[in-house]
Amino acid sequence: MVKQIRENRPRSVHAWVAYELGTRIVTGYYEPGAYIPNEATIGEELNVSRTALREAFKILTAKGLIESRPKLGTRVRPREFWNMFDSDVLRWCFDSTPTPEFLRSLFEVREMIEPTSAALAAKRATDEQIEAMEKAYRAMETAEPGTEQVILTDIEFHMAILRGTNNEFMISLGESIKTALMGLFRISSSKESAYQASLPGHYAVYLGIRDRDSERARFEMKSLLSKSVRKALDHLADDDGGGKVDMAV
């Protein structure tokens, strides 16, 4: 069922329409390969002009979610063509309650990037960059549970490590998945006990980098991610009222 259309629209109507249609697509209401209703039907349902609708279609097309077919209409493209690093697409996925498969895939990307980034930072980070990592960690320690600071300080810690690699591609990739990290941290750190339990793991990563021990930093980051993915999936299962989620799904 399509979620209730929000009353409070942003200033940009076409951005709001893109959000409404984008969330329907990522949740599977409009399945890959399916044709979405024509402009007249959607325009009437959302109470928007065809101009706003067409601008929204341009946004969704640029993100790889839809394509127009002459004389047939507009259909949803297969997921393999979606730009999953796009901040809007990631936000729509998290706003619509992510699936275990989605979370697992994100953590697999993190497992490819962050342990290596921690190892590189141990070798390459300047003293100033290491100080920035410590500052970010101390901010995590003092962040008030249940506030946005919990998320923002966690993000800053991981971004500080990526910057410490002094690899422009690593840094750019980190910036592109920042929305995904924020969504993940909101899930894995939603409980105060879970957030507090994660602090020693973060500190261990920092110490490995500070001591210029690249393999230790890599190991500690792998360990931190392994615990984080389990917490996120268990939290998702609790929200669904079921048992623990099998990582093999």
Side-chain angles (χ1 to χ4, degrees):
M1 179 180 296
V2 179
K3 61 186 180 60
Q4 184 177 2
I5 298 172
R6 296 180 303 172
E7 293 295 333
N8 297 321
R9 303 182 181 184
R11 292 181 181 179
S12 173
V13 176
H14 65 266
W16 174 80
V17 176
Y19 173 89
E20 293 295 332
L21 297 180
T23 53
R24 295 181 187 188
I25 291 171
V26 300
T27 57
Y29 182 82
Y30 298 141
E31 297 181 348
Y35 286 90
I36 63 178
N38 60 39
E39 291 181 358
T41 300
I42 295 182
E44 182 179 356
E45 178 191 348
L46 301 182
N47 191 27
V48 296
S49 68
R50 289 197 175 189
T51 299
L53 193 57
R54 287 169 182 170
E55 288 299 315
F57 279 1
K58 289 180 182 179
I59 293 174
L60 298 175
T61 298
K63 299 176 188 303
L65 271 64
I66 63 174
E67 63 179 351
S68 296
R69 299 170 66 87
K71 299 182 180 180
L72 292 175
T74 302
R75 74 171 185 173
V76 179
R77 302 185 76 192
R79 288 182 70 96
E80 64 192 83
F81 295 107
W82 299 0
N83 181 3
M84 296 306 297
F85 286 109
D86 183 90
S87 61
D88 287 331
V89 175
L90 288 168
R91 185 168 59 253
W92 298 339
C93 288
F94 278 106
D95 285 353
S96 306
T97 306
T99 64
E101 293 85 357
F102 175 81
L103 292 181
R104 183 194 61 195
S105 294
L106 273 179
F107 271 102
E108 287 174 348
V109 172
R110 293 186 66 190
E111 287 168 351
M112 288 188 288
I113 299 170
E114 295 194 72
T116 298
S117 295
L120 285 175
K123 295 178 180 179
R124 300 177 178 176
T126 64
D127 291 342
E128 291 77 11
Q129 287 172 329
I130 292 178
E131 288 177 6
M133 295 175 208
E134 181 181 17
K135 181 179 179 180
Y137 173 74
R138 298 303 177 190
M140 288 182 66
E141 284 188 317
T142 58
E144 184 179 349
T147 67
E148 190 71 4
Q149 281 302 110
V150 168
I151 309 300
L152 296 178
T153 55
D154 204 343
I155 286 286
E156 180 54 31
F157 177 80
H158 288 270
M159 293 304 299
I161 292 174
L162 287 168
R163 289 191 288 268
T165 67
N166 290 300
N167 180 306
E168 59 187 3
F169 291 98
M170 286 284 197
I171 298 169
S172 180
L173 185 57
E175 289 292 338
S176 69
I177 65 172
K178 187 182 291 187
T179 299
L181 293 178
M182 293 187 73
L184 287 172
F185 294 162
R186 281 195 173 89
I187 295 173
S188 61
S189 303
S190 59
K191 296 180 180 178
E192 179 178 353
S193 58
Y195 178 70
Q196 293 295 330
S198 76
L199 291 177
H202 285 81
Y203 190 59
V205 172
Y206 160 71
L207 289 178
I209 296 173
R210 185 201 66 180
D211 296 342
R212 304 293 184 179
D213 188 334
S214 60
E215 289 310 308
R216 177 178 160 201
R218 185 194 305 273
F219 171 82
E220 295 296 354
M221 182 61 83
K222 283 184 177 180
S223 178
L224 178 63
L225 292 178
S226 178
K227 294 174 183 176
S228 294
V229 66
R230 176 51 61 190
K231 290 175 184 175
L233 290 170
D234 287 350
H235 180 79
L236 185 63
D238 290 342
D239 282 351
D240 289 340
K244 292 188 176 182
V245 178
D246 186 350
M247 278 293 289
V249 298

